[in-house]
Structures are given as C-alpha cells and as structure tokens.
C-alpha cells in the first residue's frame, strides 16, 4: 500500500505486484480507478478514463507510437494512465534504487506487522538510477533533468530476510510512503478482455 500526500491531500494505492526476474506485472486501485500493467502495457478503468459502460477499460502502451490522428480523449486518457501508473511503480524506490545510493546509515527499525526491521537511510543518485531504468518507465533521465531532481533521500525498513517492509521519501513537495506485506502469496494479474477496451 502506498500513500502520496501533496497539496490535494493523501491518495492511497493498494497494489499487488508479481515479480518475474526484472519484470513486474502490477494491479492497483485508488482514486476510484483500477489499474493493471501486464507486459509493459497499462490498462485503466474508472474515474474519467472511459465513459462507455460496455467498454470501461482504456489501454496505454508506452512503447507504441502515437497515431497522428488520435483523438483528444484518447490522448487525455493516456496521460492520466501515465500519471496513475507512476503510482504503481512506487515499490521500485525501495527495491531497485539501492545500487545507485550513497550515504547509507542503518539503525534498528520499528516492527512492521510484528516483524523486526532495520531502517536504512540512503541518498539515491537519480541520474544513475534513471539511466539504469531503476524507477521504471515513468521517471526517465530526461524527466528527472527537467524537474531538477538529482538526489532523493529515501528511508527503507528491511526484515531479517532482506524483504522491504516500508519506505518513505519526499519529492516535488509530495510525501510518499509505502508498506509491503503478504510476500509469497499467490496473485493473479491479467489484462482485461479486448471486448472491454475502448
């Protein structure tokens, strides 16, 4: 579960992640929307994404070239899916950016779900992390350079099995925190049927 708090208040995402090597399929819900990412393609429904009850899902493939004739509603839905999809990838901050961090400090952490933890404080080199795609497809080197984000202080708690339990950071005025659990439990993540996609 990830909570992002900015001037609009808190928004909480509850997300299932299925890791297969470096790839991850993800399903999450929040803000009256449901999001699914399978094989790099993002699907969303709810909110203002689609107005057709028979085809409630919209699709966004960041690798596909946008057709010049795409209508404005499709472009808007794609932009909204990108913004919401970035929330699905928050787990990457805890599990993928450590190799690009400096200034590691560790202390005993608070227990999480009754499990003892160690809290690590680190500073992620955003340029190196984005060049290695550690943040996923939603934060690139170009985006980070435009925002002026060069370093990202992160706190992560880890249990005795080296599994991340919590993380927290602040960027662009937004505070982001997350909690991990239910490791190893089976999860099914599938793309919506083609007949349900607008």
């Amino acid at each position: 579960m990830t909570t992002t708090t900015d001037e609009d208040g808190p928004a909480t995402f509850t997300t299932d992640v299925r890791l297969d090597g470096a790839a991850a399929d993800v399903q999450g819900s929040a803000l009256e929307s449901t999001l699914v990412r399978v094989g790099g393609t993002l699907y969303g429904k709810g909110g203002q994404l689609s107005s057709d009850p028979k085809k409630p899902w919209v699709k966004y493939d960041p690798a596909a070239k946008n057709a010049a004739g795409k209508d404005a509603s499709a472009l808007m839905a794609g932009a909204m899916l990108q913004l919401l999809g970035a929330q699905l990838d928050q787990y990457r901050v805890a599990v993928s950016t450590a190799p690009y961090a400096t200034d590691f400090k560790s202390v005993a952490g608070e227990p999480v779900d009754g499990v003892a933890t160690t809290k690590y404080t680190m500073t992620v080199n955003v340029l190196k992390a984005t060049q290695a795609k550690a943040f996923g497809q939603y934060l690139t080197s170009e985006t980070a350079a435009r925002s002026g984000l060069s370093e990202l202080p992160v706190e992560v708690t880890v249990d005795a099995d080296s599994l991340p339990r919590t993380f927290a950071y602040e960027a662009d005025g937004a505070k982001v925190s997350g909690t991990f659990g239910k490791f190893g439990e089976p999860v099914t993540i599938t793309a919506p049927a083609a007949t349900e996609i607008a």
Side-chain angles (χ1 to χ4, degrees):
M1 182 171 65
T2 302
T3 300
T4 302
T5 304
D6 58 17
E7 65 272 4
D8 295 326
T12 300
F13 264 77
T14 302
T15 308
D16 291 326
V17 179
R18 182 179 61 217
L19 291 172
D20 182 14
D25 290 338
V26 185
Q27 178 174 304
S29 60
L31 305 172
E32 302 177 356
S33 300
T34 300
L35 300 164
V36 176
R37 188 180 67 228
V38 176
T41 300
L42 191 62
Y43 304 88
K45 74 173 180 176
Q48 300 174 2
L49 292 173
S50 174
S51 59
D52 185 348
K54 293 181 181 177
K55 294 188 173 194
W57 291 90
V58 294
K59 173 181 172 182
Y60 173 71
D61 183 352
K65 292 185 178 179
N66 288 333
K70 249 189 183 174
D71 63 45
S73 63
L75 293 172
M76 179 63 73
M80 290 174 68
L81 280 174
Q82 288 182 77
L83 289 171
L84 294 171
Q87 299 299 318
L88 293 180
D89 268 342
Q90 295 293 344
Y91 72 94
R92 287 182 180 269
V93 174
V95 300
S96 301
T97 61
Y100 313 100
T102 58
D103 300 328
F104 278 94
K105 295 180 182 123
S106 65
V107 296
E110 295 292 323
V112 178
D113 293 332
V115 176
T117 66
T118 301
K119 181 169 88 171
Y120 293 93
T121 302
M122 58 187 177
T123 302
V124 176
N125 181 314
V126 174
L127 178 61
K128 289 182 180 178
T130 53
Q131 287 174 339
K133 302 191 185 326
F135 290 104
Q137 62 197 14
Y138 302 104
L139 180 59
T140 63
S141 301
E142 294 79 16
T143 305
R146 281 196 303 268
S147 72
L149 185 64
S150 60
E151 292 185 334
L152 184 65
V154 179
E155 290 183 354
V156 179
T157 61
V158 177
D159 66 20
D161 294 320
S162 298
L163 294 171
R165 290 291 178 159
T166 66
F167 72 93
Y169 68 90
E170 185 172 349
D172 291 335
K175 295 180 180 178
V176 182
S177 61
T179 304
F180 300 91
K182 300 183 180 180
F183 293 99
E185 290 188 11
V187 58
T188 301
I189 299 173
T190 57
T195 55
E196 296 183 323
I197 300 172

